[in-house]
Amino acid sequence: MRRSQADQGRVHADGTCPGLSRASPGWPSVVSLAGSQPPQQSLHHRQGQVSSKISLLHYYSLIPTSYQLAAYCPNPSRCPAVSSERRSIPRLLGHVFGKPTRKEFCYDNLRISHNAWDTNLIKANPEYLAVNWESSGGGAFAVIPLNERGKLPDQIPLFRGHTAAVLDTDWNPFNDRLIASASDDGKVFVWQVPENFTLYTDAEEPADVSPLSKLSGHTRKVGHVLFNPAAENILASSSGDLTVKFWDVETGQAPITIKHPDIVQSLSWSANGTMLVTTSRDKKLRVWDVRQQSAVHEYQGHEGAKNSRAVWLGEHNRIATTGFSRMSDRQVALWEPGRKDPIGGFTSLDSISGVCMPFWDDGSNCLYLAGKGDGNIRYFEYENDKLEFLAEYKSGDPQRGIAFVPRRGVNVHENEIMRAYKTVNDQYIEPISFTVPRRAETFQSDIYPPATGLKPAVSAQEWFDGKDGIPAKIDMESIYEGTAPREVPADYKPPTAVSSPIQPPVSKMESTPPPATRVPTSTVADQKASMSAIANKFQDNEDAEPSEGESSPFEEVSRPAARAAAPVSVRTSLPPASAGKTPSPTTYQTPVQKLASPVRTTAAAPAPAPAASPSSGNVEASLSQITQLLEQQSRIIGAQSDKIQAQSQIISHLATEVETLKKRVGPGPQDQSERIRQLELELEAARS
């Protein structure tokens, strides 16, 4: 059962943490903020008076993140402040901004399909952009190289072959030149983009591209196609004949066919390519074990009559859905397979009628929700089984279709974490760059973890035989350096710099000096040797340093904070003097003193000495010189204080006289004005 924030504050009130055997220094002051409630003074009036303005933003900036709390807790997995209730301020991506593109750098002069089928209309990869095309004489779609921006030619080569409108397309995740298309004619085609493909040709009528293979088996229109994210050349297609087929693109066969109870509205693969989640017209959410050809989980989804969407949250065992309530409010929900109710229930977004199109970015753990029919794109961060709202990109240009590029296609030199392409007025496509603004000119490893590469985890035959896995990833730093993508294991974690835990700030009023180390009692001979060492300190003698074998009790004591009227203390520790050997001096430390504080010297009362040392006269002379110097400094400081006080009185007297003359004289004769001006100049000179 999850603890509340108030319970967390009580758990840590004594400075201890679950899993800790002792109190942690600095812990109560940190966790008391995490367990407290935000100040309400800035939101309400109390007893008819306007309360003080306390910034909520400043309050949340004081609350440490769960990662900072984990630095204090040796067992963060059992700590409720770390693992159960993380604060709503995002850990990393609290400042992500969507930046539009000027129209001259967009993809203009397009004829985007007007078909009413609920689809995204466009798909993108790091090299190309696929657009469902409005064409006559059969269905077609266009492929646009991402580097060919601006106004496109009136006649461009199309990917033509379907006898009805193209409803959906999808790029192969392991081959940027391979794309599949679904059509209203009940066919699934696989296409290959030609080498050095471009839209600018010298021919009056550019030659269209023909399909590489045709996959026939559905008896009604095919609404969705989606490649497997882990297995090579495995393609899923859903049709109006209430079936979902799984194709081996190389052989052109569909060994697995699932009977679906109703028309599929969306589908999404798990990260290892073994499970498939679908939403359908019967308002049910189903999770399928594909190779068992059965639905392992089935839940009641969004209750609204409009379409719903689902997306698997990458390598997390979670599913996000978007849909509508009975009152036609747009909703988002987070699901765990095996749990019939959404985690935290259904969350209402707004009352706009357009479908929300969800997109997941596994690199930043962000979920993007783009509204169909409006220009807004919300993005959330998934953390601790919550979708924490980050920000919202707002635009006055509504979109009917949108696509996001894979993580390996972002611009790492501009700190871009994601890039989207949206349709505007069915005439042009606008890129939107989501960036984290930073001034650093080096690779930012914290926002660029390894991304899925171009090598599948298993082949198509191995997948049908029951094998699965996570595809190998590539190090984004190799892309930043412009070298060949460097492959890393699927479970690779980038190395992080080892740093000391972040210490909580301590105010000056609460600061206390560290406890002094207990020094052994010194003998009379030791005290005399220490005095000699103090006198030698004022000479240019660098030979008298403690040897490496000797230890000093002051080596482990940090420098104390400054305090007024702190006495000068001399602490030494020397081994007993032996005959014929001169003891070595030790380190001499004194607390830092303020100038305004009188300096006092304290010395231990000397015990009766059995015999006078030959150097006792020199020691006493040195001590008397030091005492005279300190007394002289005290007198100088006192004289300066008196002088400053006298000048302050003169300044105040001049200021009072000037103000009195101004009130008494007003706009008087010329000589009086000159006198006032002269006094003002004297006042300014005295102040300076």
Side-chain angles (χ1 to χ4, degrees), residues 502-683:
I502 301 174
Q503 298 295 335
V506 180
S507 62
K508 295 183 179 179
M509 298 299 295
E510 298 177 355
S511 63
T512 57
T517 306
R518 183 178 180 86
V519 183
T521 305
S522 59
T523 62
V524 176
D526 295 340
Q527 293 179 359
K528 292 180 179 180
S530 174
M531 295 177 184
S532 177
I534 296 172
N536 293 333
K537 185 175 185 297
F538 294 91
Q539 299 179 1
D540 295 335
N541 183 12
E542 298 180 356
D543 296 332
E545 294 180 0
S547 61
E548 295 180 359
E550 296 178 352
S551 61
S552 173
F554 295 96
E555 291 177 356
E556 301 297 329
V557 180
S558 60
R559 185 174 182 178
R563 292 187 301 174
V568 177
S569 61
V570 179
R571 295 171 181 167
T572 60
S573 177
L574 291 172
S578 59
K581 294 184 181 180
T582 303
S584 300
T586 59
T587 305
Y588 171 76
Q589 292 185 353
T590 58
V592 179
Q593 301 295 331
K594 294 184 179 179
L595 292 177
S597 301
V599 181
R600 302 176 183 176
T601 58
T602 60
S613 174
S615 61
S616 60
N618 296 332
V619 173
E620 292 178 356
S622 299
L623 288 177
S624 62
Q625 291 178 1
I626 295 173
T627 304
Q628 291 175 2
L629 289 174
L630 293 177
E631 292 177 354
Q632 184 178 0
Q633 290 180 356
S634 300
R635 287 193 297 270
I636 293 173
I637 292 173
Q640 291 178 350
S641 300
D642 296 339
K643 185 176 180 180
I644 292 173
Q645 185 176 3
Q647 290 180 351
S648 300
Q649 293 177 355
I650 293 173
I651 291 173
S652 60
H653 176 71
L654 288 175
T656 305
E657 185 177 356
V658 169
E659 294 298 329
T660 304
L661 288 176
K662 284 183 178 180
K663 294 179 180 178
R664 184 181 303 172
V665 175
Q670 183 68 22
D671 54 348
Q672 294 178 351
S673 299
E674 291 179 357
R675 174 57 180 165
I676 294 174
R677 179 58 182 169
Q678 184 179 1
L679 290 175
E680 289 179 347
L681 293 176
E682 292 179 1
L683 178 60

Side-chain angles (χ1 to χ4, degrees), residues 191-211:
W191 315 72
Q192 187 172 17
V193 181
E195 289 277 358
N196 302 321
F197 179 74
T198 180
L199 301 180
Y200 296 91
T201 61
D202 296 333
E204 295 183 359
E205 294 184 2
D208 294 331
V209 180
S210 300

